[in-house]
Structures are given as structure tokens and as C-alpha cells.
């Protein structure tokens, strides 16, 4: 009997890349590949890359350089680059780093088995097409291990918004929504394997418009249907655009108990002038109006956001407008970034504020966000909530999981509660987590 080959996947960036990495592993399983956490044991190493952050490509080349000793020790080791850097760089990756055998974009990884067979035969394989066929139609059925109580499910890919700072439309392509029946089938399969919480993913997830019974379904309708799956206790979705926060989706936050009271709703800036330069097509006030409607629908809703500081043309007044918006919204968490020019995007041609100015503004924003996060966590002390326990904690007899509001919670609990939802009372707020006792 032939020994299984070993596959190691390193994932960079967003939750969608985590989902894609899992699907890549599943696509290669029929070819005899088993996943290993140890790159030194691998016969095939895939770097599933992200192109959002500054110098993303250079980080990939640096990581490839660190794989050189493994290749020297194991000449038959095959190395591939997947994801958005692969899409953006293409054949240039092989030209710059000849130890790379395979380059595959995020829309063509369903072709991995054929590509791997080619590289095993001594060829180099490069595929960064944007094919018309749906890659999900060609992937094997979802096979998520029963040990994981939470899972990601991609429902939508690509983006048509063309924000001036963003490479996603160029690396992921135009917006495409997956059919309803496929998604419901995958969700049921996940639940059958022990999953209790599903996070629906998309670059612009609330722009979902998949074909279903009776015509095109919205994300709100999809969520309502998924909530009827027996055993699916929690639903989340990310990442959203303010312009696609529809009446139906807002109402779902009030009417669907399985939809958790947490929402990631990026705004990027509090300055209308900068928002216009970013091509966001919303204003600070229109964003705040959506927040008000969401909180009217679900008063305990926890909000997180994205912010870019130091965008070209940003003045101190523009930045103060961002701080004012943050104070008005009161975020439970946020992702904050100093602007970095992405090659090929419209904003890359503009002059940004000096780096020292942008860094100082970023620190001020992060301090305000950290204060709000600490206040949000402190407000939970003494309250009862539910936690989906996902893994063992650092201390003996301790389990760790996520609350309804996506806060990390640890409590003394029996192993029998792993993968289950239990009621807790929050006893203490720590730096990045909450302590609790079972109730």
C-alpha cells in the first residue's frame, strides 16, 4: 500500500483564505495527500497568500527563501504559491524564485490536482485565469472534521465596489454569488459533522444575490433559511459594505435568534471628503444612520469596523472626523491600518501624508479603540451569556470559546462541553478575554 503524501498549507490574511486553504486540502485528498502541520514532513507546501497589506509580495518571497533549506534537504519537495499574491504576480513568482513549482490564483484552485500531477512529473504549472466556470462546481464535497464546532462557508466572492485603495476586484474578480441549494447542502453537511456555528463569508457578503427557489435570494433570506437547519445554533457573516445593508438584513438581526449580535461593518474614515476620495459611495452620516437602525433592531449589537489612517489627502481635520465617528459609534473592536499603496489601484498614484504623521494618527486611533474595547468587555462583567466552547484553555480543566458577541471567554468546564454551547456568568475582564463561571 502506497504511503500517503503530506501537504502543508500556510495561510495568510482573511477568513476566506482559511476557507480556501481547507478546500485546497480537500481537492488534493483524492490524490493521496494528507495535511501535516510540519512543513519539514511535507511533500508539497502551499503558501495561500493575501495581497491586502503593505509589502505582501515581499513577505511571500521572504518566506519562500526560508524554504530553501527544506528543498535542499528534500529535492523532491514541491512548493506552490496560491491566493491573491499568486494572482497579482503570476509567472513573475517563478522568475524571481525558481524553487516555486506551482502558481495558482484564488479562482482556479479547483484545478490543483491536475497542476500537482504536472509538477510531480517535473513541469512548472501556472494558472491565474479568471474562468467562467464556478470553481465550487468542480471541488469535492465539503469534508470538515467533526472536532471543530465552528466553520466558515464562502457564499460570495469578488467585489464590484472598486474602492480606490483596494486590490480585491483585481485579484478576486467581479462579484459572484453561489447558488442557494449548494450553500444549504454544505451547511447541513457541516452541522452533521458537529459544527454548531457557521460564519458566512464574502468580500462583500451582504451583496449576496444567489439563485434559489423562486428567483434571486438576498443574504437576509439565506440566513433565515439556514436558521431552520436543525442543530445550527449560531450564524454570523463577514465582511459587509454599508451600502448593501438592506432593510431585510437589518430586520433579520431582530427576528432571527440564531443570527449572533455581532457585526463587522467597515467604514474606513469619518471624513466625507476622504470617503469620496476612497470611492466608498457613502457618507459618515449615512453610515451612522445604518448603525442607529441596526441598534434599534438589536440593542445589544456589538460592532467592529475597519479604518485606514493616512490616506492620500487626509488632513488633521479629516482624522478628527474619524475620531468623532468612533466616539459616536462605540466599537467593541476594530481593525486599524496605516494606508499603504497597493500597485495598480487609483490611490497609489496620490501623495499620502508623511509616514510619521500617519503613524502618530494610527496610535491615537488605536488608543481610542482599545479604550472602547476595554469598556465593552467591562460592561459584560456580572452578565450572563452563552459560550460555544472550542478548545482547551491554558490552565488544567479550563475551556475557551466565543461569546455571542464574539468575545473570547475562558471558564473551568468539563471536556464534555467541548463543541457545545453553555451558559456562563462573566466574572472578570482581562486584556483580550473574559473570565467566566458556568451557570
Amino acid at each position: 500500500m502506497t504511503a500517503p503524501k503530506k501537504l502543508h498549507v500556510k495561510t495568510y490574511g482573511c477568513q476566506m483564505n482559511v476557507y480556501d486553504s481547507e478546500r485546497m486540502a480537500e481537492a488534493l485528498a483524492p490524490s493521496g495527500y494528507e495535511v501535516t502541520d510540519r512543513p519539514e514532513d511535507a511533500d508539497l507546501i502551499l503558501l495561500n497568500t493575501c495581497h491586502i497589506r503593505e509589502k505582501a509580495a515581499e513577505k511571500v518571497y521572504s518566506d519562500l527563501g526560508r524554504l530553501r533549506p527544506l528543498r535542499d534537504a528534500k529535492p523532491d519537495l514541491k512548493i506552490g504559491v496560491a491566493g491573491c499574491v499568486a494572482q497579482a504576480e503570476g509567472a513573475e513568482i517563478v522568475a524571481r524564485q525558481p524553487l516555486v513549482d506551482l502558481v495558482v490564483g484564488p479562482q482556479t484552485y479547483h484545478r490543483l490536482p491536475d497542476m500537482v500531477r504536472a509538477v510531480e512529473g517535473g513541469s512548472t504549472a501556472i494558472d491565474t485565469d479568471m474562468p467562467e466556470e464556478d470553481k465550487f462546481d468542480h471541488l469535492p464535497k465539503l469534508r470538515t472534521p467533526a472536532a471543530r464546532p465552528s466553520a466558515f462557508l464562502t457564499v460570495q466572492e469578488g467585489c464590484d465596489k472598486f474602492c480606490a485603495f483596494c486590490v480585491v476586484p483585481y485579484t478576486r474578480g467581479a462579484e459572484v454569488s453561489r447558488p442557494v441549494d449548494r450553500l444549504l447542502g454544505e451547511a447541513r453537511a457541516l452541522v452533521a459533522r458537529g459544527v454548531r456555528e457557521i460564519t458566512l463569508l464574502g468580500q462583500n457578503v451582504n451583496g449576496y444575490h444567489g439563485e434559489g427557489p423562486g428567483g434571486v435570494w438576498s443574504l437576509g433570506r439565506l440566513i433565515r433559511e439556514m436558521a431552520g437547519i436543525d442543530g445550527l445554533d449560531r450564524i454570523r457573516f463577514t465582511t459587509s459594505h454599508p451600502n448593501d445593508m438592506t432593510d431585510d438584513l437589518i430586520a433579520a438581526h431582530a427576528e432571527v435568534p440564531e443570527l449572533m449580535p455581532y457585526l463587522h461593518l467597515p467604514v474606513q474614515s469619518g471624513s466625507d471628503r476622504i470617503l469620496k476620495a476612497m470611492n466608498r459611495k457613502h457618507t459618515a452620516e449615512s453610515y451612522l444612520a445604518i448603525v442607529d437602525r441596526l441598534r434599534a433592531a438589536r440593542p445589544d449589537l456589538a460592532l467592529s469596523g475597519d479604518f485606514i489612517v493616512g490616506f492620500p489627502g487626509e488632513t488633521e481635520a479629516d482624522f478628527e472626523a474619524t475620531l468623532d465617528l468612533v466616539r459616536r459609534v462605540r466599537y467593541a473592536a476594530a481593525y486599524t491600518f496605516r494606508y499603504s499603496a497597493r500597485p495598480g489601484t487609483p490611490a497609489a498614484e496620490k501623495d499620502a501624508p508623511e509616514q510619521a504623521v500617519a503613524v502618530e494618527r494610527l496610535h491615537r486611533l488605536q488608543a481610542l479603540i482599545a479604550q472602547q474595547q476595554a469598556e465593552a468587555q467591562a460592561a459584560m462583567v456580572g452578565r450572563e451569556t452563552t459560550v460555544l466552547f472550542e478548545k482547551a484553555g491554558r490552565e488544567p480543566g479550563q475551556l475557551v470559546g466565543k461569546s455571542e458577541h464574539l468575545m473570547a471567554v475562558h471558564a473551568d468546564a468539563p471536556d464534555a462541553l467541548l463543541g457545545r454551547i453553555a451558559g456562563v456568568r462573566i466574572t472578570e475582564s482581562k486584556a483580550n478575554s473574559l473570565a467566566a463561571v458556568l451557570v
Side-chain angles (χ1 to χ4, degrees), residues 9-270:
V9 184
K10 180 175 180 179
T11 306
Y12 306 69
C14 66
Q15 297 101 322
M16 187 168 288
N17 267 16
V18 174
Y19 176 85
D20 284 348
S21 291
E22 293 173 352
R23 301 310 307 270
M24 289 179 197
E26 290 167 355
L28 290 171
S31 300
Y33 281 91
E34 291 183 354
V35 174
T36 177
D37 293 330
R38 292 166 48 87
E40 58 269 27
D41 294 340
D43 300 288
L44 170 63
I45 295 176
L46 289 177
L47 305 184
N48 188 17
T49 61
C50 175
H51 204 261
I52 296 296
R53 300 302 301 276
E54 184 178 14
K55 298 180 180 177
E58 294 308 313
K59 177 174 175 55
V60 173
Y61 288 117
S62 177
D63 286 351
L64 286 169
R66 283 192 282 270
L67 295 178
R68 171 66 67 181
L70 291 182
R71 169 63 70 77
D72 292 341
K74 196 174 187 178
D76 289 336
L77 171 67
K78 304 303 179 184
I79 297 172
V81 178
C84 292
V85 171
Q87 187 69 39
E89 299 280 311
E92 178 66 18
I93 294 175
V94 177
R96 284 187 58 178
Q97 187 51 274
L99 63 80
V100 173
D101 304 286
L102 181 156
V103 178
V104 60
Q107 301 306 330
T108 50
Y109 65 73
H110 59 291
R111 300 174 182 170
L112 265 174
D114 290 337
M115 297 177 72
V116 169
R117 279 190 288 272
V119 301
E120 288 174 340
S123 300
T124 298
I126 300 172
D127 192 340
T128 55
D129 286 348
M130 289 281 189
E132 292 185 5
E133 80 255 30
D134 184 352
K135 67 187 176 190
F136 297 104
D137 290 342
H138 301 274
L139 290 168
K141 287 187 176 181
L142 199 65
R143 302 189 309 165
T144 296
R148 289 177 40 196
S150 62
F152 297 127
L153 177 55
T154 293
V155 303
Q156 178 271 343
E157 278 196 288
C159 186
D160 297 337
K161 295 292 190 287
F162 288 93
C163 296
F165 53 82
C166 187
V167 297
V168 166
Y170 311 103
T171 58
R172 288 277 182 171
E175 287 188 15
V176 177
S177 295
R178 299 182 62 196
V180 169
D181 61 341
R182 294 292 183 89
L183 297 174
L184 294 177
E186 286 192 22
R188 293 187 185 100
L190 288 168
V191 172
R193 296 178 184 276
V195 169
R196 293 292 170 261
E197 175 181 289
I198 293 178
T199 299
L200 308 179
L201 299 180
Q203 270 85 30
N204 184 34
V205 68
N206 56 335
Y208 176 81
H209 54 279
E211 289 291 336
V216 175
W217 285 34
S218 66
L219 183 65
R221 185 174 178 184
L222 179 65
I223 287 171
R224 292 172 193 273
E225 189 70 20
M226 283 194 173
I229 297 175
D230 188 32
L232 179 56
D233 301 312
R234 291 179 164 189
I235 300 172
R236 305 183 191 274
F237 62 91
T238 194
T239 291
S240 303
H241 194 288
N243 293 357
D244 291 314
M245 193 56 62
T246 62
D247 294 345
D248 180 54
L249 189 53
I250 292 172
H253 282 275
E255 299 166 0
V256 181
E258 292 81 5
L259 182 57
M260 292 293 95
Y262 174 90
L263 176 63
H264 185 62
L265 189 63
V267 62
Q268 306 300 355
S269 174

